[in-house]
Amino acid sequence: MKILLIEDHPELARSIVAYLTQEHYLCEVAATFDEAREKLILFTYDCVLLDIMLPDGNGINLLKLLRKDGVESSVIIISAQNALDFKLTGLSEGADDYITKPFPLPELHARIKAVMRRRSPHKSNVLTFLDLTADLESMECRVNGKLLSLTRKETNLLLYFINNKGRMLTRQAIAAHLWGDYTDNLDSVDFVYQHVKNLRKKITDAGGKDYISTVYGLGYKLNAAG
Amino acid sequence: MKLNHRYTLAYAVITLFVLSVGFAIVYGAMSRSVTQTTIGKLRHLNEVVAAQLRSGRDYAGHPARANVRIRPLAPSDTVAHAQLVQVRPEWDPELQSAVNVVRLSTYPRIGGQRYHLTSRAVVVMPSDEYLTGIVLVFAWTFVFLLALVVILSEVISWYILKPFNAILLSIERFQLSQKTTIGLQPSRTKEFNVLNDFLMKMTSRAQSDYQGLKEFSENASHELQTPIASMKAKIELLMDSELSEKQLLMLTTMHDELERLAKINQSLTLLAKLEHFEWEPAPLTDLSRLVPATEAAFADLAEMKGLRTTQQIAPGVRVPLDESLAQLLLNNLFSNAIRHNLPGGEIRVLLSATELLVENTGHAPSVPVAELFGRFKKGNAALDSIGIGLAIVKRISELYSHRVGYTYADGWHRIRVVFAAAGE
């Protein structure tokens, strides 16, 4: 999986690259409009992460150029502008998704995965983690083949865990993922606790191991150790 | 009252005053001049009679003697004045009415003998009809003057005040956010030009301040988000490394504070954007669809807090609001209703054709409810909220002239958005 990150802030770019490399992506960086254009002409990328404000141009124009040249890559806009701006200005035209800065890295990862899946429907639509499986088509989750009766939010939560297995997920990141714009994450950490608790209970009730561990009351992690 | 009307009124009062004074003068002068003329005639008559006496002929029965009394004076009589005038009203049997009688006495010396000649004449004083005549003349003059003043003041003030009215119109049309300077015409009137200059200076300064502020808020918000994102990313990367519990705790605190910073920044940016939001005639948003949809989106949060939500949604309520702003408004209302609720509390949502009412149980707010629409005002300090949601709700409502109100009574918080009539 090749990703091109177009971001002029070097430190943020470095962090994103470090994270995505850990997740086994090949990640290249372009810091300017021109550099990005050049790279997009020369190489093919599965996914482009595009910052809108570039020192020598606007990411939206780059997106238009991309689409005009028939570049097929998925595009996720990374921007400091919020959802409302996108809705009000129709910025996200031609992009597959957008994510507002600052965002949790696991969230970015989850978005990339979702976008890539939409792009390649022939790929396997089942996520697995040890004896947990999640079918992305039917949205069914199983433990050792046994169907779990999860709510939509719980399913979403489990997918998020599997996508970011082995990583510590803060409650805030989980809240942002589950409720997005609907609520400011500051007071939804209790809700996250509730959801995680219910999910763990459902998995263990179905005979699964409790793979989700609490990290010092700060967040959660899905790992084999349990 | 218009400026030229005030002037006209002042002129009318002045004219009335001047004309009244004029009338008094004319009346006085007329009465006086009638008497004076009569006295003049009588003096002439006395002289004629004196001349007759000097001639020594007999003029008895001459018409000149009809109104003159002649009395020789004794040498012992002293004469105080060269002449004596008496004016007094008397009953005139010939006219059968009271008249003013003027008597003139002179004392001519004729051949060593002094005479006392008294001539008499009846004067008709200008009164009654006479007075009415004069009053009418003045009244007509006044009416005519007034009409002239009214008409001319309209015309002249329109002409003179044209630049002033143009200034007023320009001010009315002026928008801080417009790119061009205020359009003012130079005039030939000094004061208007002074006003023009002043307005030019003031508006252009206000415009540049406004632009500066706008750019600042846009830049600040945008330029802050990236470093925050970068810091958060670094912290997340750190969290996945081997750390002690203490270090993790510190990192998480940092992470939370950054999250908070980002949230405040985003909210402020949003408010600033809403301040400068240039709205076209609003599309109608179907709240009958949007309200239940929002309720559903928040349902799991409400459920986890053990809240009971009841809704009454009137069908087909379409309100002038931008859809994404309407969504934002509802999100804020619902998340507030959940956040500031008590465990096991209640939320009631009522949508009618004229208003949206969101009620929830909760503790009494610690500050007056009117203040809660301000920024960073928190009705409950214990909660970890930013306190900007209601400011956003208010701003969005104001954008489309909907009225929003907040009351607290009997343990219920009620937020009511009264819709402006469509097309208002």
Side-chain angles (χ1 to χ4, degrees):
Chain A
M1 281 279 268
K2 264 180 87 177
I3 293 185
L4 176 64
L5 169 65
I6 305 166
E7 165 63 62
D8 59 325
H9 191 280
E11 283 305 320
L12 179 60
R14 202 169 299 160
S15 305
I16 294 174
V17 170
Y19 185 89
L20 293 178
T21 309
Q22 283 176 8
E23 295 292 343
H24 314 296
Y25 292 96
L26 276 172
C27 200
E28 289 183 18
V29 182
T32 65
F33 187 98
D34 290 339
E35 195 185 342
R37 241 191 110 182
E38 204 173 310
K39 280 203 150 88
L40 283 163
I41 290 166
L42 294 175
F43 310 105
T44 316
Y45 297 93
D46 298 296
C47 183
V48 178
L49 307 177
L50 174 62
D51 184 13
I52 287 186
M53 299 285 269
L54 294 169
D56 56 345
N58 184 316
I60 296 297
N61 296 337
L62 186 64
L63 180 60
K64 285 178 184 153
L65 277 174
L66 264 176
R67 292 296 180 233
K68 213 175 74 189
D69 297 346
V71 174
E72 286 292 301
S73 320
S74 312
V75 175
I76 298 176
I77 291 176
I78 299 176
S79 161
Q81 309 202 307
N82 58 25
L84 189 69
D85 297 320
F86 281 98
K87 283 173 191 150
L88 293 180
T89 52
L91 282 178
S92 52
E93 260 175 278
D96 297 80
D97 198 356
Y98 61 85
I99 184 166
T100 309
K101 288 179 190 174
F103 47 83
L105 291 171
E107 181 65 22
L108 177 66
H109 180 210
R111 300 283 184 106
I112 293 172
K113 283 207 147 171
V115 166
M116 298 314 298
R117 255 198 310 277
R118 266 186 308 212
R119 285 265 155 183
S120 45
H122 54 273
K123 268 186 72 178
S124 156
N125 270 328
V126 180
L127 292 178
T128 53
F129 175 79
L130 300 174
D131 53 0
L132 285 172
T133 57
D135 187 329
L136 297 163
E137 276 299 308
S138 59
M139 291 308 260
E140 285 175 343
C141 303
R142 293 166 191 277
V143 174
N144 293 323
K146 194 171 171 199
L147 187 66
L148 293 168
S149 66
L150 301 179
T151 64
R152 235 179 47 199
K153 279 274 192 297
E154 286 162 356
T155 309
N156 199 340
L157 180 61
L158 184 57
L159 291 180
Y160 194 52
F161 271 124
I162 296 176
N163 271 330
N164 290 293
K165 52 184 173 259
R167 288 197 173 275
M168 144 106 164
L169 299 175
T170 62
R171 286 175 173 177
Q172 281 188 2
I174 294 170
H177 179 78
L178 291 185
W179 291 288
D181 292 340
Y182 277 119
T183 170
D184 64 48
N185 324 349
L186 294 171
D187 60 345
S188 43
V189 286
D190 299 346
F191 300 133
V192 172
Y193 170 75
Q194 283 280 358
H195 273 310
V196 174
K197 202 173 87 177
N198 294 345
L199 179 64
R200 287 164 92 169
K201 193 166 181 310
K202 282 179 181 175
I203 293 172
T204 49
D205 285 355
K209 270 181 72 181
D210 186 8
Y211 297 116
I212 301 172
S213 55
T214 310
V215 186
Y216 308 116
L218 309 171
Y220 303 94
K221 197 185 262 190
L222 180 77
N223 50 19
Chain B
M1 204 172 192
K2 280 175 74 174
L3 187 65
N4 69 324
H5 292 175
R6 299 187 82 122
Y7 269 119
T8 309
L9 192 69
Y11 280 128
V13 171
I14 291 169
T15 312
L16 185 65
F17 174 72
V18 168
L19 283 179
S20 308
V21 169
F23 168 77
I25 292 171
V26 165
Y27 185 75
M30 280 204 132
S31 330
R32 210 172 136 266
S33 61
V34 167
T35 315
Q36 288 298 326
T37 313
T38 312
I39 292 168
K41 297 286 183 223
L42 291 180
R43 195 174 293 127
H44 170 74
L45 182 61
N46 281 11
E47 277 163 16
V48 168
V49 172
Q52 287 176 353
L53 288 174
R54 271 194 205 96
S55 70
R57 288 191 216 108
D58 183 12
Y59 277 91
H62 188 273
R65 299 293 173 92
N67 287 321
V68 184
R69 231 181 28 180
I70 306 168
R71 202 159 52 91
L73 285 176
S76 60
D77 287 345
T78 51
V79 180
H81 314 279
Q83 61 174 34
L84 185 70
V85 180
Q86 271 187 330
V87 183
R88 61 168 190 245
E90 285 175 18
W91 177 256
D92 188 312
E94 292 168 26
L95 286 176
Q96 284 295 304
S97 66
V99 291
N100 264 359
V101 176
V102 181
R103 285 189 174 75
L104 176 74
S105 303
T106 51
Y107 311 92
R109 186 184 285 278
I110 295 162
Q113 170 68 47
R114 259 187 187 281
Y115 285 88
H116 179 186
L117 304 182
T118 306
S119 53
R120 168 180 177 283
V122 171
V123 178
V124 180
M125 286 311 285
S127 63
D128 305 345
E129 286 80 16
Y130 205 79
L131 191 69
T132 315
I134 297 176
V135 167
L136 274 178
V137 167
F138 274 93
W140 278 113
T141 311
F142 178 66
V143 168
F144 180 68
L145 263 178
L146 204 60
L148 208 61
V149 165
V150 167
I151 291 163
L152 284 182
S153 80
E154 280 294 331
V155 173
I156 294 170
S157 77
W158 176 82
Y159 179 73
I160 290 180
L161 291 180
K162 204 157 74 168
F164 183 70
N165 288 325
I167 292 172
L168 286 186
L169 194 69
S170 303
I171 295 173
E172 215 168 309
R173 288 188 182 158
F174 178 70
Q175 295 267 330
L176 260 184
S177 52
Q178 71 186 42
K179 295 279 179 286
T180 50
T181 52
I182 190 168
L184 296 171
Q185 308 294 329
S187 93
R188 286 187 317 200
T189 314
K190 180 167 174 269
E191 284 85 347
F192 293 157
N193 279 332
V194 170
L195 182 63
N196 267 348
D197 289 347
F198 169 73
L199 278 174
M200 276 282 194
K201 280 201 194 93
M202 202 175 77
T203 52
S204 64
R205 190 172 330 130
Q207 271 176 312
S208 68
D209 284 356
Y210 172 86
Q211 279 302 334
L213 205 63
K214 194 174 159 194
E215 276 167 29
F216 170 79
S217 61
E218 281 169 6
N219 293 347
S221 65
H222 187 269
E223 296 305 319
L224 282 174
Q225 295 296 69
T226 306
I228 292 173
S230 173
M231 284 154 86
K232 276 188 70 177
K234 292 247 181 296
I235 291 174
E236 279 162 28
L237 286 174
L238 259 181
M239 278 178 177
D240 280 319
S241 55
E242 288 302 313
L243 293 170
S244 70
E245 188 176 342
K246 210 167 148 191
Q247 287 168 324
L248 255 180
L249 210 55
M250 274 174 143
L251 279 182
T252 310
T253 314
M254 273 159 76
H255 194 263
D256 287 356
E257 287 299 322
L258 277 176
E259 180 69 31
R260 203 179 158 71
L261 186 60
K263 277 276 171 273
I264 290 171
N265 192 19
Q266 274 169 355
S267 306
L268 283 177
T269 313
L270 180 65
L271 268 175
K273 276 218 169 61
L274 289 176
E275 292 293 338
H276 309 145
F277 184 65
E278 288 161 15
W279 66 289
E280 299 82 50
L284 294 177
T285 291
D286 185 358
L287 288 186
S288 301
R289 181 182 55 76
L290 206 58
V291 172
T294 313
E295 193 279 326
F298 280 93
D300 63 323
L301 297 178
E303 198 182 312
M304 271 190 280
K305 214 169 166 171
L307 305 175
R308 216 158 51 81
T309 308
T310 47
Q311 325 184 53
Q312 283 183 38
I313 309 292
V317 178
R318 294 164 65 79
V319 170
L321 255 183
D322 179 278
E323 175 137 1
S324 40
L325 292 182
Q327 185 65 69
L328 191 67
L329 181 141
L330 293 175
N331 288 353
N332 277 303
L333 289 182
F334 274 96
S335 59
N336 268 341
I338 293 169
R339 189 189 307 146
H340 300 293
N341 220 317
L342 310 166
E346 237 187 295
I347 298 174
R348 288 201 295 244
V349 184
L350 216 133
L351 176 71
S352 70
T354 51
E355 63 175 30
L356 168 70
L357 179 66
V358 178
E359 307 177 297
N360 64 280
T361 47
H363 291 298
S366 51
V367 293
V369 285
E371 281 182 23
L372 289 171
F373 285 111
R375 299 175 181 196
F376 304 107
K377 289 284 180 201
K378 297 167 200 179
N380 186 341
L383 285 165
D384 196 13
S385 67
I386 301 173
I388 212 161
L390 277 182
I392 289 171
V393 167
K394 182 161 183 264
R395 181 64 202 147
I396 292 175
S397 303
E398 280 172 354
L399 264 180
Y400 296 97
S401 321
H402 306 307
R403 286 196 318 274
V404 60
Y406 186 148
T407 52
Y408 176 82
D410 325 321
W412 284 85
H413 294 260
R414 288 186 181 85
I415 297 191
R416 190 186 301 270
V417 181
V418 180
F419 306 132
E424 225 178 59

